[in-house]
């Protein structure tokens, strides 16, 4: 388990910004990455998958290719479908490397640490130890599921969880249907835990579109409860939330 950067007495105030458009998040996300790189010699950065981050990943590819941003970081990510090694289409690591080819080059050079695609506890413990040995994640990008999940921490996941294998919720599998068509979405995945996520030094969550509004509302204003995994972010001292107007409700 990670030691979460949790402040139990009083909730820290979440920094929430409502943007004119999802596209307006891109320079802010690049800025966050730039700040992290400037502050740490070889920071570990946790990327997130999903449509939410597609524009950012494309922009990041341009920045890395043109030297606008130095590749002076180690990359990792949040979660992986069971049985999907990085070279397998529809997997999370594959998605990141396709959307941002420089991440593929980093993978081949050992500077992108992919989440294991097998659920063996020894493998997951070794992955966790490897991230810790690098000082832990300095900057974690996050999306949010319609059901309030973070990574694949579905409702009911304990707040102190580490890397673990999990069943995917029905809404999560439904949202992944186009990704796996004409096949069926996998039933299980490996995910970083909520404790792992809270262990990151800085967290930047993005949510765009009306479909995310209910989850965003529960995260910001509902009870801090395992029924809404994202609500745990209210216990982290350094969270930036970027929303477009529909997601802000
Ligand atoms: C998956 C991922 C999450 C991500 C979510 C939202 O479930 N495991 O980490 O936040 O998708 O995806 P999208 O950005 O496509 O809405």
């Amino acid at each position: 388990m990670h030691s979460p950067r949790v402040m139990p007495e009083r909730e820290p105030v979440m920094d929430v910004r409502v943007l004119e458009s999802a596209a307006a998040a891109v320079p802010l996300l690049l800025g966050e990455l730039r700040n992290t790189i400037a502050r740490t010699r070889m920071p570990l950065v946790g990327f997130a998958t999903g449509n939410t981050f597609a524009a950012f990943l494309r922009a990041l590819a341009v920045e890395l290719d043109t030297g606008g941003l130095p590749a002076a970081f180690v990359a990792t990510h949040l979660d992986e479908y069971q049985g999907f090694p990085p070279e397998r289409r529809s997997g999370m690591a594959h998605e990141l490397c396709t959307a941002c080819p420089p991440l593929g080059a980093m993978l081949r050079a050992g500077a992108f640490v992919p989440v294991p695609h097998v659920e063996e506890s020894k493998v997951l413990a070794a992955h966790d130890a490897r991230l810790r040995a690098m000082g832990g994640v300095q900057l974690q990008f996050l999306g949010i599921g319609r059901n309030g999940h973070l990574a694949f921490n579905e409702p009911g996941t304990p707040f102190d969880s580490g890397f673990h294998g999990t069943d995917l919720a029905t809404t999560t599998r439904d949202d992944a249907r186009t990704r796996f068509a004409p096949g069926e979405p996998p039933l299980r995945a490996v995910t970083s835990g909520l404790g792992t996520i809270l262990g990151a030094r800085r967290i930047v969550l993005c949510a765009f579109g009306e479909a995310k509004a209910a989850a965003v509302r529960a995260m910001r204003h509902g009870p801090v409860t395992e029924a809404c995994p994202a609500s745990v972010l209210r216990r982290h001292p350094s969270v930036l939330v970027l929303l477009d107007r529909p997601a802000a409700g």
Side-chain angles (χ1 to χ4, degrees), residues 48-53 78-79 81 92 142-145 149-152 172 212:
T49 44
N51 294 333
T52 306
F53 285 92
L78 284 166
D79 44 25
Y81 293 105
M92 298 299 202
L142 279 181
I144 184 170
H149 78 199
L150 297 179
F152 280 132
T172 303
K212 300 290 172 76

Side-chain angles (χ1 to χ4, degrees), residues 39-116:
R39 209 186 43 233
T40 326
R41 211 174 63 81
M42 192 51 84
L44 181 59
V45 177
F47 289 91
T49 44
N51 294 333
T52 306
F53 285 92
F56 165 61
L57 290 169
R58 279 196 302 272
L60 177 61
V62 172
E63 292 294 308
L64 291 171
D65 279 339
T66 57
L69 197 142
F73 60 91
V74 176
T76 188
H77 60 122
L78 284 166
D79 44 25
E80 190 54 271
Y81 293 105
Q82 194 197 40
F84 282 73
E87 61 278 10
R88 185 166 174 197
R89 224 174 131 257
S90 306
M92 298 299 202
H94 187 274
E95 175 188 330
L96 288 169
C97 296
T98 306
C100 181
L103 287 177
M106 289 171 70
L107 181 74
R108 291 186 289 279
F112 174 8
V113 183
V115 172

